[in-house]
Amino acid sequence: VSQATVSGEAPGERRAARLQRVRARMAEMDVQALLLSHGADLPWLTGYRAMPLERLTLLVLPLEGEPVLFVPALEAPRVPDLPGEIALRPWHETEDPLSLAAAALGPGAAARVALSDRAWAVTLLGLQARLVGTSFLAASDVTGALRAVKDPFEIEVLRRAASAADGVAAALQAGEIPLAGRSEREVSREIAERLVEAGHRHVNFSIVGSGPNGASPHHDAGRRVIAPGDVVVCDFGGEWAPADGEVGYCSDITRTVVVGDPPPEVRDCYAVLEAAQAAGVAAARPGAAAEDVDRAARDVISDAGYGDRFIHRTGHGIGIEEHEDPYVVAGNRTPLVEGHAFSVEPGLYFAGRFGMRLEDIVVVGPDGPDALNRADHGLAVVGG
Ligand code: ZN
Ligand code: ZN
Ligand code: ZN
C-alpha cells in the first residue's frame, strides 16, 4: 500500500494535523504539556516508536512553544524525520534526562501535565520530584478519543493487516495447518510463521487453546497434543506496516475449528456464538454507543441461556496498539463515529471441557459496519 494512493497526504502532514488536534484538546482541558514516553501515542504523533528501555525517551510537547523529543543518544539513529517543529535532543549517558525534560517545561509553567499511560513509574516519580506543584493526568485523557478515530490511511493499513491474518485463518480452516497429533505449541509456531510470511512485521500473539484449554480465553499454547474431537480456539495477530520505518498497525482474529465431526452440543453453541458475533457487528453504526455493540452480542447469548459462559467484554479498540480505546463493554457510552475501529469477539467457555470464540475487526463506516476480516465465520471441521 503506497501512502500516496491511500490518502494523498504525506505522513508528515498527517502527523502535523494530529499535533494540531492534540494541542486543541490540551487547551480545552487546560493541560499545559503532554509528555510522551514509550507507548503508542508517540509513534501516532511523530512516527517514532521507542523501545521500552529503562533509559528515558520523552517528548515534551508544551501547549505553546517548541516541542522537544529527548532520546538516549544511542537511539537517535532510529528516529525518523520528525513532523512540525519538533526538535530532537539526544541525551548522553552522564546527563540526567529527567532534569533536562523538566527544564524544557520552564519554571512554574506547567500546572497540569499529561504523561503517557505506559511510562514507567520511575519516570512519573522522577518528574513529580522535579515539578513540585504540578498535577499529572494520563495522556490517554488527551489522546485516547482522538487516536480511537482512524483516518482513511490508518483504516487502509488495518484492512491490509486484517487480510494478511485472514489468509492464515483460511489455511487453518481448510486443514492446511495440521492439528491432530501436534502440540498446541507446534500449531502456534506455524501460525506465527505464516503471519510473518503473509507480511506481518512481527507476531503479537498466537493463542491455540485445544479441548479444555479453550475454556481459558488467553490460554498460552502449551504441550497438550491435539486429538480428534477437540474444539480448538485459535486467536492470533501481529503488526503490519506499509513500509520499513513506518508505524505498524495490528491484526487480531479468532477462529474456532473442530477436529472431526462435532457433537450436536458444540454445533448448537457455535450457532449461538455466530449469531451473537453477527449481531455485535451489525450494531457497529454511527450514533450507537460502544456499549450497544456489547449488548447486541450479549443479548443473543443470554437469550439462548449461555449468558454466564460469556465471561469477558465483547471487544477492544485496535490500532497501533492491540488493545486501545474504544472498549466495547457495558458502561462505555462513547458514541460511535465513522473511523472507530474495534474487535467484536464474543466467546463461550465451558470450564474443563471446551471453549469457542469468533473475532473480527470492524470499522464504523458512514452507513454502518465495515468488517475488515473476511475469513469464513462458520465452525470449520478439519480432518481428524
Ligand atoms: Zn484477548
Ligand atoms: Zn484476538
Ligand atoms: Zn481481540
Short mmCIF file of all heavy atoms in Angstrom, two decimals, residues 159 281 360-363 369-374 377:
data_model
loop_
_atom_site.label_atom_id
_atom_site.label_comp_id
_atom_site.label_asym_id
_atom_site.label_seq_id
_atom_site.Cartn_x
_atom_site.Cartn_y
_atom_site.Cartn_z
N ARG A 159 -6.90 -2.62 7.26
CA ARG A 159 -7.52 -3.56 6.30
C ARG A 159 -6.47 -4.53 5.75
O ARG A 159 -6.72 -5.72 5.62
CB ARG A 159 -8.18 -2.76 5.17
CG ARG A 159 -9.16 -3.57 4.32
CD ARG A 159 -9.72 -2.75 3.15
NE ARG A 159 -10.37 -1.52 3.56
CZ ARG A 159 -11.61 -1.44 4.07
NH1 ARG A 159 -12.33 -2.53 4.23
NH2 ARG A 159 -12.14 -0.29 4.42
N VAL A 281 -21.55 -7.09 15.29
CA VAL A 281 -21.03 -6.36 14.12
C VAL A 281 -22.12 -5.43 13.56
O VAL A 281 -21.86 -4.25 13.28
CB VAL A 281 -20.54 -7.34 13.03
CG1 VAL A 281 -20.19 -6.60 11.75
CG2 VAL A 281 -19.33 -8.14 13.54
N ASP A 360 -13.70 -10.64 14.74
CA ASP A 360 -13.34 -9.83 13.58
C ASP A 360 -12.99 -8.44 14.05
O ASP A 360 -13.48 -7.98 15.08
CB ASP A 360 -14.54 -9.66 12.64
CG ASP A 360 -14.91 -10.93 11.89
OD1 ASP A 360 -14.02 -11.74 11.62
OD2 ASP A 360 -16.11 -11.09 11.58
N ILE A 361 -12.21 -7.74 13.23
CA ILE A 361 -12.01 -6.30 13.43
C ILE A 361 -13.01 -5.58 12.54
O ILE A 361 -13.18 -5.92 11.36
CB ILE A 361 -10.57 -5.89 13.07
CG1 ILE A 361 -9.57 -6.68 13.94
CG2 ILE A 361 -10.39 -4.38 13.23
CD1 ILE A 361 -9.78 -6.57 15.44
N VAL A 362 -13.67 -4.59 13.13
CA VAL A 362 -14.73 -3.86 12.44
C VAL A 362 -14.43 -2.36 12.52
O VAL A 362 -13.98 -1.87 13.56
CB VAL A 362 -16.09 -4.15 13.13
CG1 VAL A 362 -17.20 -3.33 12.51
CG2 VAL A 362 -16.41 -5.64 13.04
N VAL A 363 -14.65 -1.67 11.42
CA VAL A 363 -14.53 -0.21 11.40
C VAL A 363 -15.94 0.34 11.21
O VAL A 363 -16.73 -0.20 10.43
CB VAL A 363 -13.60 0.26 10.26
CG1 VAL A 363 -13.61 1.78 10.14
CG2 VAL A 363 -12.18 -0.24 10.49
N PRO A 369 -21.44 -0.91 9.68
CA PRO A 369 -20.18 -1.60 9.94
C PRO A 369 -19.42 -1.96 8.66
O PRO A 369 -20.02 -2.32 7.65
CB PRO A 369 -20.62 -2.87 10.67
CG PRO A 369 -22.04 -3.08 10.26
CD PRO A 369 -22.62 -1.72 10.04
N ASP A 370 -18.11 -1.88 8.75
CA ASP A 370 -17.22 -2.31 7.68
C ASP A 370 -16.31 -3.37 8.33
O ASP A 370 -15.37 -3.04 9.04
CB ASP A 370 -16.41 -1.09 7.20
CG ASP A 370 -15.38 -1.42 6.15
OD1 ASP A 370 -15.37 -2.57 5.66
OD2 ASP A 370 -14.59 -0.52 5.81
N ALA A 371 -16.69 -4.65 8.15
CA ALA A 371 -15.92 -5.73 8.78
C ALA A 371 -14.67 -5.98 7.96
O ALA A 371 -14.74 -6.28 6.77
CB ALA A 371 -16.77 -7.00 8.87
N LEU A 372 -13.51 -5.81 8.59
CA LEU A 372 -12.26 -5.94 7.85
C LEU A 372 -11.90 -7.40 7.61
O LEU A 372 -11.27 -7.72 6.61
CB LEU A 372 -11.12 -5.25 8.61
CG LEU A 372 -11.31 -3.76 8.92
CD1 LEU A 372 -10.01 -3.19 9.49
CD2 LEU A 372 -11.73 -2.96 7.69
N ASN A 373 -12.26 -8.29 8.53
CA ASN A 373 -11.93 -9.70 8.36
C ASN A 373 -13.00 -10.40 7.54
O ASN A 373 -14.19 -10.22 7.77
CB ASN A 373 -11.78 -10.39 9.72
CG ASN A 373 -10.57 -9.89 10.47
OD1 ASN A 373 -10.70 -9.12 11.41
ND2 ASN A 373 -9.39 -10.30 10.04
N ARG A 374 -12.55 -11.20 6.59
CA ARG A 374 -13.49 -11.87 5.69
C ARG A 374 -13.39 -13.39 5.76
O ARG A 374 -14.13 -14.08 5.06
CB ARG A 374 -13.23 -11.40 4.25
CG ARG A 374 -13.43 -9.90 4.05
CD ARG A 374 -14.89 -9.53 4.31
NE ARG A 374 -15.10 -8.10 4.45
CZ ARG A 374 -15.37 -7.27 3.45
NH1 ARG A 374 -15.45 -7.73 2.23
NH2 ARG A 374 -15.54 -5.97 3.69
N HIS A 377 -16.96 -17.52 8.71
CA HIS A 377 -17.37 -17.39 10.10
C HIS A 377 -17.91 -18.68 10.70
O HIS A 377 -18.20 -18.73 11.90
CB HIS A 377 -18.40 -16.27 10.24
CG HIS A 377 -17.80 -14.92 10.00
ND1 HIS A 377 -17.68 -14.38 8.75
CD2 HIS A 377 -17.25 -14.03 10.85
CE1 HIS A 377 -17.08 -13.20 8.84
NE2 HIS A 377 -16.82 -12.96 10.10
#
